[in-house]
């Protein structure tokens, strides 16, 4: 029977939650990674000998760090290498903000926004500096968390990244060259003459949809979007939602038309869920309509919020959905969001959630 692991990054280390396929009782392990701020924990299911887990984080005081576990999170060791800019860079790497493992490569998004890759399990890193050479780079500016690269998806030679408050970029040649992909996304704070600019869009999260196409879902500071062509053009799908503002988004592991998000009440009204009532919103038709899922979730005086990487799904059938909050609580649904249970409380601020199915 499969084991389900929820991989949690927090402000005080990494945690691993484990359950069986029923997903009713969860064991909690941690904190790991020397209690550093861990912004993202991911699994590389293709690692030789079984799945490897990686955790990345740091801050401006500690610098950047990456840890690895080869025993599904029972023990962790810091990797021998750390992403670093070339000598003479204007500022050093401040922290690891995102990780992505695929096809023998481990990618790391850092602050200030840049992308690195390791092909030896984190022992050495190469700066994919083509992104820094993009002609718009001198005009990039950070969002509330700074200038960060927090979303990565790679398939073969194609790579997509998201950076705040810059936008989405795509490379078709393994990171040598990049194009901005923000057509159709709006920035409510731009002047009329700035609308339609190549960059300047505060993407909060990206989710790759299942299936052979190139569908992505995007939660932005200014709206919710879907692209059916790898980000070349984006379409607003926020109609029917209480707000276009939120942080995480997750896509179904098999159905490209199903996605979940957790909209807040706007960026200027407290940044909590509408009326203090917790809800996860699900679409079954690629964003044409949305349904609020509330069963089991707090409906009065709930003012916690999920951050940009704090939602994930597992690959079971029905899919499990997981949502972490800055209050340190993790809520889970074993039936695609119809019913929810709090499976962990009083953790440090949850920064990210990912999943892994293990034998």
């Amino acid at each position: 029977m499969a084991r389900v692991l929820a991989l949690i990054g927090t402000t005080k280390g990494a945690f691993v939650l484990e359950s069986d396929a029923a997903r009713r009782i969860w064991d909690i392990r941690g904190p790991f990674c020397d209690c550093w701020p861990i912004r993202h924990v991911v699994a590389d299911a293709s690692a030789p000998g079984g799945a490897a887990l990686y955790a990345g984080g740091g801050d401006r005081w500690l610098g950047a760090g990456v840890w690895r576990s080869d025993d599904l999170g029972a023990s962790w060791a810091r990797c021998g290498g750390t992403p670093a800019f070339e000598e003479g860079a204007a500022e050093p790497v401040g922290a690891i903000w995102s990780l992505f493992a695929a096809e023998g490569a481990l990618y790391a998004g850092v602050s200030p926004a840049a992308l690195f890759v390791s092909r030896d399990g984190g022992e050495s890193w190469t700066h994919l500096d083509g992104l820094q050479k993009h002609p718009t780079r001198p005009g990039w500016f950070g969002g509330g968390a700074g200038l960060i690269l927090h979303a990565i998806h790679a398939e073969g030679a194609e790579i997509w990244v998201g950076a705040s408050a810059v936008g989405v970029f795509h490379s078709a040649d393994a990171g040598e060259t990049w194009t901005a992909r923000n057509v159709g996304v709006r920035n409510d704070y731009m002047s009329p003459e700035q609308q339609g600019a190549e960059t300047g869009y505060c993407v909060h999260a990206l989710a790759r949809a299942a299936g052979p196409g190139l569908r992505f879902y995007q939660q932005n500071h200014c709206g919710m979007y879907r692209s059916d062509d790898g980000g070349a053009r984006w379409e607003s799908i926020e109609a029917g939602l209480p707000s276009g503002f939120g942080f995480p988004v997750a896509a179904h592991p098999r159905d490209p038309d199903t996605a979940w998000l957790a909209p807040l009440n706007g960026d200027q009204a407290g940044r909590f869920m509408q009326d203090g009532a917790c809800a996860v919103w699900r679409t079954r038709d690629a964003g044409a309509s949305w349904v609020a899922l509330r069963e089991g979730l707090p409906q009065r005086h709930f003012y916690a919020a999920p951050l940009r990487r704090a939602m994930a799904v597992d690959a079971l059938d029905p899919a499990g959905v997981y949502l972490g909050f800055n209050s340190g609580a993790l809520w889970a649904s074993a039936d695609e969001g119809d019913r929810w249970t709090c499976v962990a409380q009083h953790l440090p601020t949850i920064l990210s959630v990912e999943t892994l199915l293990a034998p």
Side-chain angles (χ1 to χ4, degrees):
M1 180 180 291
R3 291 180 292 163
V4 183
L5 273 62
L7 313 175
I8 313 297
T10 81
T11 53
K12 297 181 181 180
F15 291 79
V16 178
L17 277 66
E18 182 174 331
S19 184
D20 60 17
R23 294 164 288 184
R24 287 192 294 265
I25 300 173
W26 292 82
D27 175 64
I28 303 176
R29 304 195 302 269
F32 300 112
C33 307
D34 304 320
C35 291
W36 275 39
I38 296 298
R39 302 184 184 279
H40 204 190
V41 186
V42 300
D44 181 3
S46 66
L53 308 183
Y54 293 95
D59 58 27
R60 61 175 178 163
W61 307 111
L62 297 168
V66 181
W67 286 258
R68 176 177 172 135
S69 172
D70 291 313
D71 52 15
L72 297 181
S75 62
W76 294 79
R78 188 165 176 182
C79 296
T82 302
F85 292 125
E86 298 78 4
E87 186 175 351
E91 58 182 301
V93 170
I96 308 296
W97 276 83
S98 56
L99 296 170
F100 186 87
E103 301 172 353
L106 177 65
Y107 297 89
V110 307
S111 62
L115 183 65
F116 289 79
V117 64
S118 173
R119 301 192 183 277
D120 55 11
E123 295 304 305
S124 64
W125 295 86
T126 299
H127 180 201
L128 299 178
D129 62 355
L131 187 60
Q132 305 299 300
K133 296 175 181 176
H134 194 272
T136 62
R137 178 62 181 88
W140 293 5
F141 59 89
L147 183 58
I148 57 175
L149 194 150
H150 54 71
I152 308 168
H153 182 81
E155 297 179 19
E158 292 196 90
I159 309 172
W160 291 261
V161 299
S164 294
V166 186
V168 175
F169 286 83
H170 171 259
S171 173
D173 53 14
E176 289 292 322
T177 60
W178 296 82
T179 58
R181 292 202 163 180
N182 301 300
V183 175
V185 179
R186 70 179 191 276
N187 181 334
D188 296 338
Y189 304 99
M190 284 181 173
S191 63
E193 59 271 17
Q194 292 174 315
Q195 295 295 329
E198 194 171 3
T199 60
Y201 304 94
C202 196
V203 53
H204 283 175
L206 292 176
R208 172 73 159 94
L214 287 177
R215 174 174 290 174
F216 282 82
Y217 294 97
Q218 176 186 164
Q219 175 68 76
N220 194 279
H221 192 108
C222 301
M224 177 69 183
Y225 302 89
R226 189 193 76 237
S227 173
D228 294 327
D229 53 12
R233 186 171 298 275
W234 296 91
E235 175 186 352
S236 173
I237 55 171
E238 65 195 82
L241 296 171
S243 160
F245 177 85
F247 287 101
V249 60
H252 195 281
R254 291 171 295 278
D255 179 9
D257 291 340
T258 296
W260 297 264
L261 73 159
L264 305 179
N265 62 351
D267 63 342
Q268 302 293 322
R271 299 191 177 196
F272 51 83
M273 291 183 173
Q274 194 74 31
D275 301 321
C278 188
V280 175
W281 292 72
R282 182 180 64 202
T283 181
R284 294 289 199 187
D285 52 17
S289 63
W290 296 89
V291 173
L293 310 171
R294 301 181 183 274
E295 185 172 337
L297 294 169
Q299 295 303 294
R300 297 182 70 246
H301 303 299
F302 186 83
Y303 303 107
L307 302 179
R308 70 180 75 245
R309 298 214 62 100
M311 180 185 283
V313 298
D314 66 36
L316 291 175
D317 188 8
V321 189
Y322 306 83
L323 185 62
F325 287 86
N326 56 6
S327 63
L330 178 70
W331 291 79
S333 169
D335 53 13
E336 306 202 349
D338 288 339
R339 290 169 293 274
W340 294 83
T341 302
C342 185
V343 298
Q345 297 185 70
H346 314 307
L347 297 178
T349 297
I350 294 175
L351 302 176
S352 68
V353 181
E354 297 288 355
T355 67
L356 171 68
L357 297 187

